[in-house]
Amino acid sequence: MSARARLAWALGWLGLLLAVGGWLSQTLSFSGDLRRFLPDPRTPEQRLLIDELGEGPGSRLLLVALAGADVDTLAAQSHAMAATLSADARFGFVANGAGRGLEAIPAHLRPYRYLLSPTLDAQRLDAQFLRAEIAQRVQDLGSPAGELVEPLLPSDPTLETLRLAEAWLPARAPQTLHEAWFDRSGTQALLLVETRAAGFDPDGQREAVEAIQAAHAGARGDDPGTLELSGPGAFADEIGSRTAREAGWIGAVDSIGLVLLLLVAYRSWKIPLLGALPLASAGIAGLATLVLLFGDRVHGITIAFGFTLIGVVQDYPIHFFSQQRAGLSPWRSVRALWPTLATGVAATCIAYLTFLFSGVDGLRQLAVFTIVALATAALCTRFALPALIDPARRDVADSPRLRALWERIERLPRPRWSLLVLALLALAVIAWRPGAFWQNDLAKLTPVPAPLLERDAQLRDELGAPDVRYVLTVAAADAEAALQSSERLRPALDALVARGALDGYDMAARYLPSVALQRARQQALPPAAALRDALDAALVDSPFRGDAFEPFLADIETARAAPPLAPGDLDGTPLASSVQGLLVGGGEGATALVSLSGLHDVDAVARVAAQGGARLLDMKQASESLVADYRVRILGALALAALLLVATVWIALRSPRRTLRVLLPMALTTLLVLALLRALGVELTLFHLISLILAAGLGLDYALFFEHAGDSRDDQLRTLHAVIVCSLMTLLVFSLLALSSIPVLRAIGSTVALGVLSNFVLSLLVSRAPGGTGTAGRSAAEPEPAP
C-alpha cells in the first residue's frame, strides 16, 4: 500500500472515531446510582437499605460547618446562608437553629395547629384555659420574648405554633448561640441542609454544593471564615473533583511514559500514534454499544472499571509491532499471530460473559462494555492496523542485548516441585492468616477516604443526627394504618427515653398525626358560638380589646371544617421532607420508620418494638448480608468463567501439557497475590476481585504468546520484547494508580501491579518452550502446524 493510501486509510479511521465520539458526547450521560451495582434485595432490611441509599433523606443531607471567625461573625454568616438557601428551589429544608422551627409551619397550615398538636388530647379549649393563656401572654409581652410573641398573638393566643415548633426540634439539638447552632466548643456554626436531588444524582448534588459555596461567599463578604461540607452529596463532589485532578496528572505521566517507552522500544514516531487507534476504537465501540443496549444512562463505575479493564487491549498492537521483521508483509505477520491473539481474546471475553448472568445491572453493563471493547481492539489489530504499517526495516530479534538477556533467562533452572511448595505456602497463608477474609462493610466499598468519613461522623454527632445503624419499622396496609400503628408506640418509646435506654426518636406521626387522631382533635374543638363565649369570658379584666383575637376564631373554625391533612398536603413545605423520609410507600403497603438517637439498650428497644408490632432493623447487618449476596453472585460467575476459560484454552491448544503450561502462571499468580494481600491484613472487596480478573487476563496473554513462540530462538526473542514492553506499560499505569489518594483506586493499582509482575516472571519460567538456536524451529511468520 502506498504512503498516500495509508494516509487516506488512517484519516478515514480517525474520522469514523471522531464522528461516533461526537454522537456519544451528545447522547451519553452517566448515572452515579450505586444501587445499580448491588444485587436485588431479598429481605425487608435489604429493601429498606436500597431505598434509603438512593432516595432516603439521609442520602440528600448535607452538613455544613462554618469556622475561622468569632462567634458573632459566624452566627451572622449562618443566618445569611440560611436565608439564601431557604429561598433556593434546589433545597427542601435548611435548619440552623434560628426561629425555633417556626419556618417549618407555613402560614396556610397554621390553622391546623390544634389538629397537629397534642394539647387538646388532655385539655379543653374553654374559658379557664384561655384566661390562663392570655394572662401569660400579657407577661410575655413585657419580657425579652415580646418581639417573638407579639406577631403571633391575634391568631394564636395559646402559642400553639411555638409548642409545635419546640416539639419538632431534634431530640439532641446542638447548643444555640445568637440564635444559631454551634458545636460543643462554640467555635463552629452548624447548618443542616437537605437537597431535593437524590444522593446519587451527581449533577444535582454538584449544583447544590456550588450553591452552598456561593451562599457562603456572599454571607462572608470581607469577613474571615471557612466553609466545610460533609454528607453523601459533598463526598460525591469531592471524589469527583479529586478523581479529575488525579486522573489529570496520572494520565499526563502515563501518556508521556508510554510514548517514551514506545519510542525507545520501536524507534519510530509513528508507533505511539498507530498503537492508540485500536485502544480508542475499543473505548468508543464499548460506549456506543452500552448506549444502544442500556439507553443513555450508563453507570460511571462501569466506565471507570471498563477503561481500566480494557487496558489489556494495548497489548494487542504491541505484540503485532514486535513480531515484525525486515522485508516481511505486515499482513503475513498478523495472520501468523492471529490464532494466539484470538485465543486470548476469546478466553477473556468468556470470563466476562458470565457477568451477564449475575443478576446485577452494573455488572451486565461492565461485561458488555469489556467484551465489545476487547473484540473491537483485536479485530482492528487484525484487519485494519496492518494497512497503516510500513514493512519493518529492522527485526527486534537482531538486538544483541535482547539475545544476551534471553540467554541468561534460559540458564535459569525450570521450577517444578518448587512451584508446588510455593502454591501450598500461599494456600496456607490464605487459609490460616488470622482476621476476616472478606470485607462486608458496605461503607468500606465507597471511594471516600477514611478521614472524610470520620469527620462526617463527628459532625453528625454534633448535630444530634439519628443513629444510622438501627431503625424501627412499622409495616401496614396503607399510610394511615402505618401512622396509627406508630402512634401507639409513642408511650412505650417515651418511657424508654425517661429510663435512659434511648435519648430520643423521630417518626412521621410527630409531624403528621393519623387521620383518626386529627378527627378526634377536631371533635374536641368547640363550636364557633361556644368558643366566642369562652373567649369573651377570658378577656374580662384583660388589657386586650374584645376583637383582638378574631383571626384566632377564624382559624379554629377553619380547622373544625377542614378535611384532615394527608401526606400529599405537605408538598412544598419543610414538613414534607420530614414526613416523606419517615413514611415509605403509599396506598397499598406502607412502612412508617422510627429513627433512633442515642440508643443505649438495644434489647429493650427490640422488646418494645415486638410488643407494638414493629421491628428493630439492624442496617449494618442488612448491608453486610447484601454485600455477601453480591459476593456469592460474583464468585459464582467467576467459577463458571474459570471453567469456560480452561475449556477455551484446551480447545485451542489440544494438549494437556501445553494447556497446563499456559494456565499455571495465571493460577499461581492469583494464589500469590491473594496470599500477599492476606499476609498484609487486607480484607478483600469487589475491587480486589475485579483487579485479580484483570491481572489473570494479562497473565493468560503473556503465557499464550510465550507458548506460541515455540522453540524458535528468533520468535522467542520477539515475544520477549513484546511481553517486556506490555508489562512495563501496564506496570507504569497501575503503579501510578497505586499512588492515588482514593482507596479504591489504590487497591486496584497495587493488586494489578503485583499480578503483572508475578505473571511476567512465572510466564518466563514456566510457559517458554526449550530454547532453540538461530531461526530454527517453528516461525511466527508461518502458520502453526496442527497439533
Side-chain angles (χ1 to χ4, degrees), residues 576-659:
S577 60
S578 300
V579 172
Q580 291 169 3
L582 295 168
L583 188 61
V584 182
E588 295 185 2
T591 301
L593 307 180
V594 182
S595 64
L596 308 171
S597 301
L599 180 56
H600 305 296
D601 190 339
V602 175
D603 292 338
V605 174
R607 285 194 298 271
V608 165
Q611 292 167 2
R615 296 182 62 190
L616 178 64
L617 301 188
D618 185 344
M619 303 305 287
K620 182 176 185 294
Q621 184 181 38
S623 69
E624 290 178 352
S625 66
L626 193 67
V627 172
D629 287 347
Y630 194 7
R631 184 172 60 249
V632 167
R633 296 193 187 193
I634 293 177
L635 289 175
L638 292 181
L640 178 59
L643 294 175
L644 294 175
L645 187 147
V646 171
T648 303
V649 176
W650 174 277
I651 291 171
L653 300 180
R654 300 181 186 177
S655 165
R657 186 180 185 86
R658 295 171 68 191
T659 300

Side-chain angles (χ1 to χ4, degrees), residues 220-232:
R220 186 169 62 87
D222 296 329
D223 294 329
T226 60
L227 171 72
E228 182 181 8
L229 277 172
S230 189

